[in-house]
Amino acid sequence: MIGKLLSTDLLKMRRTGIWWVVFIGPVGLAAMQALNFGLRYDYLVQDRYASDPWAGLIGETGMFVPIAIYLAMTLLMAMIANIENRQNAWKQTLALPVRRSQVFASKFLACLIQLLVACVLLAASVAIVGLVLKFEGPVPIIDLLTLGAYPMLASLPMLGLMLWMTLTLRNQAIPISLGIAASLVSVFGASMPEIVPLAWPAVVLANGEAALRYSGFGIALFAVLYLLGSIHFSRKDVA
Amino acid sequence: MNEMMIETRNLTKKYKGTRAVDALNLAIPRGEIYGFLGPNGAGKTTTIRMLLGLIRPSSGVVQIFGQDLKRDRIKILRRVGSLVEYPSYYGHLNAVENLETIRRILNVPKTRIDEVLHTVGLTKDAKRHVKGYSLGMKQRLGIAAALLGSPELLILDEPTNGLDPSGILEIRELIKKMPQEQGITVLVSSHLLSEIEQMASSVGIVNQGKMIFQDSISNLQRKAGSEIHIALSDAEAAMITVREQGCFARLDQGKLIFKGIDDGQIARLVSALVDARHSIYRVEERRKSLEDLFLTMTSGASGSASEIAAIGSGAPRGAGLRKEVAQ
Ligand SMILES: Nc1ncnc2c1ncn2[C@@H]1O[C@H](COP(=O)(O)OP(=O)(O)OP(=O)(O)O)[C@@H](O)[C@H]1O
Ligand SMILES: [Mg+2]
């Protein structure tokens, strides 16, 4: 059943521009670094990161990854929820023979798939930037993939919150403002105490050894929020 | 006894202390077109939402196909098609894609999409984005979606909302065919008595969340009853004569109005009035229209029970209520 639901959710996303967001986010980040490294090639590649230009490129990109992930989670969930909210399609969707918890799960999976695609696109487009700039050494595939994946896992609590709020609240301005505010605050993640969840994506990028641990924290906190959201969604009255 | 497709017991929904639906006992046998009638805000949509599991009753039980909705919601909903209030749709998709989102979940063959689009007359516009549809077309798409899974029970909340007269006629004919051709039971809500009268076989009237009448349409019509109007020269003086004859009349614009009197009484009254030198201009029977009946039943904020008792004089509170208990 979850497969059928997911396939209908993907069908409902046709022509909504959601996949453009998935595409433009990572490609935009890579393009920014292409500009950064292209314009300051002599300083960045031959001086500052001369010993390992790939690590330099990944590090510079990483500064913008947390805010990009938070914004993506906010924007994607708002767009996914909007499909059902706009013409009040919930009452049709939930009067079908489906379990509400599975409807909730399907919306989550749709967003997760989009975020994973964005991670892969980020790895690919940053790799292309490095290759075009003729960086030496092998392409660090693992580092490129985890550049998006670890901070995404560490940011999952935000997705849990967005899922819950966008799918249950009538007023979408609340989750959207909250998401944007959190994205902006996350820029200062590196200077926040590590127990603040908003700091976690910055922590996993700065400290490779902590990456797995903080990704785990992210998943754990997400699981709690997901469960609460799913229960609320399953029990609430549908207007 | 006939098999019940929908049965509710003391179904109640409270919103902040007020009861939008108040101890409702619906009983809808198989094969009926059940007209669910009530003025704006009577609780029709709220009831229908509860029947579909969209909102939770504050108390009471819903049984559909003899199964408990709380326990077997998914199994039940697979056999129910519904349209709640104004239509739901995905504006950025065309009609075929809209129906496809439902078809994948119901697991019916793709050919059903063409069939239902044909049924509601949308075949020509099937490939247009639904946001460009007129309200009537969106409503038809909603009905097509309700029919997609070949349901045994169709629950339609104000399905002719926003349709033009020819659209209303078409949908009405479509609904009337359902029980005969496909054995579908239909619950259709409306705030217009005339509409229900033209398609329903039985009717339930709700007001302020309470069921005030539930019976066949013909019994409702019988209940409407009739009055005798006598127009004459001096109505006020005539009241004395009337009283002397042991009858009671209501005075209205120079006319005497009698309720529930038989032929013999009328004959005696008329001759007594002539003897008392009144000029009688007209003696006529007026059938109270159903619309009047509906208005009397549903008007006034105070208890409708007393009003219905007044209307159904002779059969207090009506056979409908007794029937409800029997079922
Ligand atoms: N979510 C809600 N919160 C508070 N009150 C509500 C809610 N939904 C409905 N009501 C109230 O319940 C009552 C019944 O509303 P409902 O929509 O069921 O009426 P209806 O019979 O469908 O009317 P209409 O013919 O206008 O569609 C109304 O007084 C309405 O204000
Ligand atoms: Mg309504």
Side-chain angles (χ1 to χ4, degrees):
Chain A
M1 181 46 86
I2 193 83
K4 284 189 224 160
L5 277 166
L6 190 57
S7 89
T8 64
D9 273 329
L10 294 175
L11 169 61
K12 288 173 190 174
M13 285 169 197
R14 273 190 202 172
R15 295 190 282 269
T16 54
I18 286 183
W19 290 103
W20 277 108
V21 174
V22 173
F23 178 78
I24 285 170
V27 171
L29 280 187
M32 234 163 66
Q33 291 312 318
L35 217 59
N36 184 18
F37 276 74
L39 293 176
R40 304 197 292 166
Y41 190 86
D42 291 345
Y43 168 66
L44 288 176
V45 181
Q46 290 176 341
D47 181 4
R48 188 159 168 204
Y49 300 126
S51 61
D52 190 351
W54 278 112
L57 176 62
I58 289 172
E60 294 268 326
T61 312
M63 299 212 300
F64 298 93
V65 166
I67 182 173
I69 290 176
Y70 279 131
L71 280 177
M73 286 174 170
T74 306
L75 200 58
L76 291 175
M77 268 324 295
M79 291 174 91
I80 290 172
N82 187 40
I83 294 173
E84 307 279 356
N85 283 336
R86 194 168 37 189
Q87 299 306 334
N88 211 349
W90 283 120
K91 61 180 159 51
Q92 189 178 64
T93 302
L94 298 179
L96 292 172
V98 291
R99 248 171 241 303
R100 288 213 199 163
S101 59
Q102 294 194 340
V103 173
F104 190 83
S106 168
K107 304 284 180 202
F108 160 64
L109 286 178
C111 193
L112 187 69
I113 289 170
Q114 287 159 352
L115 289 168
L116 289 174
V117 168
C119 284
V120 172
L121 275 176
L122 179 68
S125 42
V126 172
I128 289 170
V129 172
L131 290 172
V132 168
L133 293 173
K134 300 213 164 54
F135 286 177
E136 284 175 14
V139 180
I141 293 173
I142 301 293
D143 290 347
L144 283 169
L145 284 173
T146 54
L147 168 65
Y150 278 148
M152 193 195 75
L153 293 176
S155 311
L156 274 180
M158 184 64 176
L159 181 59
L161 207 59
M162 283 297 134
L163 259 174
W164 184 355
M165 291 172 68
T166 57
L167 297 183
T168 57
L169 288 181
R170 210 78 259 275
N171 184 353
Q172 294 291 300
I174 299 169
I176 292 174
S177 336
L178 193 91
I180 291 176
S183 313
L184 296 178
V185 173
S186 76
V187 172
F188 309 103
S191 52
M192 278 190 275
E194 292 186 356
I195 52 162
V196 180
L198 278 179
W200 294 351
V203 171
V204 299
L205 284 170
N207 179 354
E209 276 148 39
L212 273 179
R213 195 166 75 239
Y214 280 88
S215 301
F217 290 164
I219 292 171
L221 183 52
F222 163 77
V224 174
L225 290 166
Y226 177 94
L227 211 66
L228 291 173
S230 178
I231 291 170
H232 181 193
F233 181 77
S234 300
R235 306 180 69 92
K236 82 182 198 96
D237 281 358
V238 178
Chain B
M1 176 136 280
N2 225 337
E3 177 194 357
M4 287 296 158
M5 295 297 267
I6 301 181
E7 208 172 358
T8 71
R9 276 194 300 276
N10 291 324
L11 192 63
T12 301
K13 180 72 184 178
K14 284 186 217 157
Y15 285 115
K16 297 190 195 84
T18 65
R19 287 159 191 260
V21 173
D22 193 358
L24 205 67
N25 293 314
L26 277 177
I28 306 179
R30 179 184 282 279
E32 294 281 315
I33 296 179
Y34 182 94
F36 194 34
L37 193 59
N40 291 138
K44 304 181 294 292
T45 302
T46 307
T47 304
I48 286 173
R49 286 210 167 102
M50 286 192 279
L51 294 180
L52 295 169
L54 290 173
I55 61 179
R56 285 166 184 265
S58 307
S59 61
V61 188
V62 176
Q63 285 201 328
I64 299 182
F65 311 126
Q67 296 167 319
D68 184 25
L69 182 70
K70 239 194 201 144
R71 261 213 354 259
D72 297 315
R73 196 182 117 247
I74 300 207
K75 255 186 7 214
I76 290 170
L77 288 180
R78 179 62 192 81
R79 299 158 66 191
V80 177
S82 63
L83 172 67
V84 183
E85 239 168 4
Y86 41 89
S88 307
Y89 58 91
Y90 304 107
H92 57 288
L93 303 179
N94 65 37
V96 174
E97 289 165 334
N98 263 277
L99 293 173
E100 175 68 13
T101 65
I102 297 168
R103 188 201 67 81
R104 288 188 187 176
I105 288 169
L106 296 177
N107 226 352
V108 293
K110 281 208 153 129
T111 49
R112 273 302 286 161
I113 291 182
D114 297 330
E115 286 170 27
V116 294
L117 283 174
H118 178 76
T119 306
V120 300
L122 276 181
T123 307
K124 207 162 54 43
D125 301 284
K127 291 287 156 86
R128 273 174 54 196
H129 288 187
V130 173
K131 65 169 166 254
Y133 277 20
S134 71
L135 179 59
M137 291 164 79
K138 288 171 186 160
Q139 197 75 11
R140 282 161 207 262
L141 179 62
I143 293 172
L147 291 173
L148 192 64
S150 310
E152 292 162 55
L153 173 64
L154 202 53
I155 296 180
L156 304 172
D157 190 14
E158 315 230 8
T160 52
N161 227 346
L163 295 183
D164 56 20
S166 77
I168 291 176
L169 191 76
E170 252 173 71
I171 297 302
R172 190 192 300 145
E173 292 309 310
L174 185 68
I175 291 173
K176 276 160 83 169
K177 276 192 294 196
M178 302 264 166
Q180 302 146 26
E181 290 181 7
Q182 302 170 62
I184 302 177
T185 306
V186 186
L187 165 64
V188 54
S189 87
S190 174
H191 54 271
L192 296 174
L193 176 82
S194 54
E195 193 168 288
I196 294 298
E197 213 186 342
Q198 287 176 71
M199 57 182 163
S201 49
S202 60
V203 61
I205 302 182
V206 282
N207 189 34
Q208 298 186 342
K210 289 197 182 69
M211 181 74 79
I212 57 175
F213 180 89
Q214 179 166 248
D215 208 335
S216 66
I217 275 279
S218 50
N219 278 348
L220 177 65
Q221 281 158 341
R222 203 163 305 140
K223 204 165 228 188
S226 62
E227 293 174 335
I228 302 295
H229 291 222
I230 300 182
L232 70 183
S233 47
D234 186 356
E236 268 179 60
M239 288 290 274
I240 300 163
T241 321
V242 168
R243 234 167 275 144
E244 283 165 359
Q245 292 296 315
C247 292
F248 293 97
R250 183 155 56 85
L251 195 61
D252 187 25
Q253 294 168 4
K255 281 188 300 192
L256 298 175
I257 299 173
F258 298 87
K259 237 187 212 162
I261 58 174
D262 58 35
D263 292 350
Q265 281 174 301
I266 297 172
R268 258 177 281 125
L269 257 175
V270 171
S271 72
L273 287 169
V274 171
D275 288 346
R277 308 219 162 258
H278 289 287
S279 308
I280 295 182
Y281 306 136
R282 217 170 289 140
V283 179
E284 54 187 349
E285 179 175 17
R286 290 253 180 107
R287 275 189 67 78
K288 222 166 151 202
S289 79
L290 272 186
E291 207 67 55
D292 287 340
L293 178 70
F294 179 46
L295 282 177
T296 344
M297 278 192 200
T298 57
S299 69
S302 62
S304 25
S306 59
E307 277 165 25
I308 194 173
I311 292 158
S313 55
R317 304 212 59 189
L321 287 181
R322 252 179 277 131
K323 227 180 210 175
E324 253 179 75
V325 175
Q327 284 158 358

